[in-house]
Amino acid sequence: MASKETYSLQPDDEPQEPRSQPQGARVDPAPDVEPVPLESADGPAEPGGPAPAEADPPETSVKALDVCPNCGASMRHTDTLVCMRCGFDLKNLRVIETVTGETTDAEPDEEPPEQRAPISAGGRDELGLPAGLAGLGLLLLGIGYLSGAAGLFPAPEEADGTITAAARLWGLFRFVLLAAMLTACGLGGLYVVARLLETTVGDLKLAAVRMAATVTTARLFTFLSFDAHATVEWFVEMVGQAVIFLGLSMVLFRLNRRDTLTLGVVTAIIFVLMWLGAWIIRGV
């Protein structure tokens, strides 16, 4: 059996050199000597051994603080990295988002723009007046055309000034067709005005009845007859019908003057285009 050699470190003496041992011999330290660890506490653990405990952060680290360095608020835990009061990030050393709970002079949020109501808004209770006006206009004009009213026929075909039955029926048919065309053109003008106002036409049925009432009531102005040239009479009748059309449009559709004028201009443009198209088709 190989001999054992013991050694120890003395505080005042130089360490003794151990004698060489044969290869494969084992050296056991003395009982009162503490073994020297092969790795430091922060180093990797020996194979199969327990994982090293996490070292406490140094006193100079921000993680060791118990208050926020930005606002001084108390930090609940040592592993907290973000201050719950001011949002200071202890890892990146910057404020992520500040929420203090205090009132600020921030600008109030802008209110969304108020959406304009539809042009032809309303219910069945608003259908009576325009329907009554349209019916009354159609009735009076129908009677006038069938009876041969002088204002409706400025140029009689007969030499004695009488209006034939055929001319009366043709005049009535032309009036109905013209009223339908003007009503359709007026609805087109309402659609354009609604687009300009960033709204909608609304109840299409109510809008059609209101527009028909406007057209037929304006057409009543043609009953006027006076001794003048046919062109002068036609011009006066056109001006009178335009004034009545714009006035009733402002009342029935609740439009201001600018929008009412836009409606009248667009309606006239659409009507002229339709009339020219019909004239071209008839000529072809």
Side-chain angles (χ1 to χ4, degrees):
M1 182 176 180
S3 61
K4 297 182 180 179
E5 184 70 18
T6 61
Y7 64 93
S8 61
L9 298 177
Q10 301 298 328
D12 298 330
D13 299 335
E14 293 293 332
Q16 300 177 359
E17 293 292 337
R19 290 180 295 181
S20 60
Q21 299 293 333
Q23 187 174 2
R26 185 179 65 179
V27 178
D28 295 330
D32 56 347
V33 176
E34 293 290 338
V36 179
L38 298 179
E39 297 289 344
S40 62
D42 297 334
E46 295 182 2
E54 183 179 357
D56 295 335
E59 295 298 330
T60 57
S61 172
V62 292
K63 294 177 62 176
L65 300 176
D66 58 351
V67 295
C68 174
N70 182 50
C71 65
S74 174
M75 307 292 284
R76 296 183 178 180
H77 306 286
T78 56
D79 57 347
T80 303
L81 296 180
V82 179
C83 176
M84 301 304 294
R85 180 182 179 187
C86 68
F88 187 78
D89 190 350
L90 300 180
K91 184 177 181 180
N92 298 324
L93 300 181
R94 63 185 180 88
V95 177
I96 298 177
E97 183 181 359
T98 303
V99 179
T100 59
E102 299 176 357
T103 359
T104 58
D105 297 333
E107 297 182 359
D109 297 336
E110 297 182 359
E111 296 182 358
E114 184 179 357
Q115 187 176 4
R116 182 185 175 95
I119 294 180
S120 183
R124 295 182 179 180
D125 54 338
E126 297 189 8
L127 194 63
L129 176 61
L133 288 177
L136 181 61
L138 289 173
L139 178 62
L140 294 178
L141 286 167
I143 295 174
Y145 276 103
L146 293 178
S147 61
L152 301 179
F153 300 93
E157 295 181 0
E158 300 293 334
D160 57 354
T162 59
I163 310 298
T164 62
R168 297 175 186 180
L169 292 176
W170 175 246
L172 179 61
F173 174 76
R174 289 184 59 185
F175 157 69
V176 174
L177 181 62
L178 183 63
M181 289 179 59
L182 286 174
T183 301
C185 294
L187 291 177
L190 279 179
Y191 176 77
V192 174
V193 173
R195 296 286 293 182
L196 294 176
L197 296 177
E198 298 182 353
T199 183
T200 59
V201 175
D203 190 346
L204 188 59
K205 179 181 178 180
L206 180 60
V209 174
R210 286 174 173 174
M211 187 57 64
T214 303
V215 170
T216 53
T217 305
R219 190 65 181 171
L220 292 174
F221 196 80
T222 58
F223 272 112
L224 297 179
S225 179
F226 49 91
D227 295 333
H229 195 272
T231 304
V232 176
E233 183 177 347
W234 176 85
F235 178 77
V236 173
E237 289 179 354
M238 288 297 104
V239 173
Q241 291 183 75
V243 172
I244 297 175
F245 179 87
L246 295 178
L248 282 179
S249 298
M250 185 181 300
V251 173
L252 295 179
F253 295 103
R254 300 178 179 88
L255 298 175
N256 55 33
R257 296 180 180 177
R258 184 188 62 181
D259 297 334
T260 304
L261 183 61
T262 303
L263 172 63
V265 172
V266 175
T267 301
I269 292 175
I270 297 175
F271 178 77
V272 170
L273 293 177
M274 291 180 63
W275 187 269
L276 289 177
W279 181 78
I280 293 174
I281 293 175
R282 186 182 63 176
V284 173

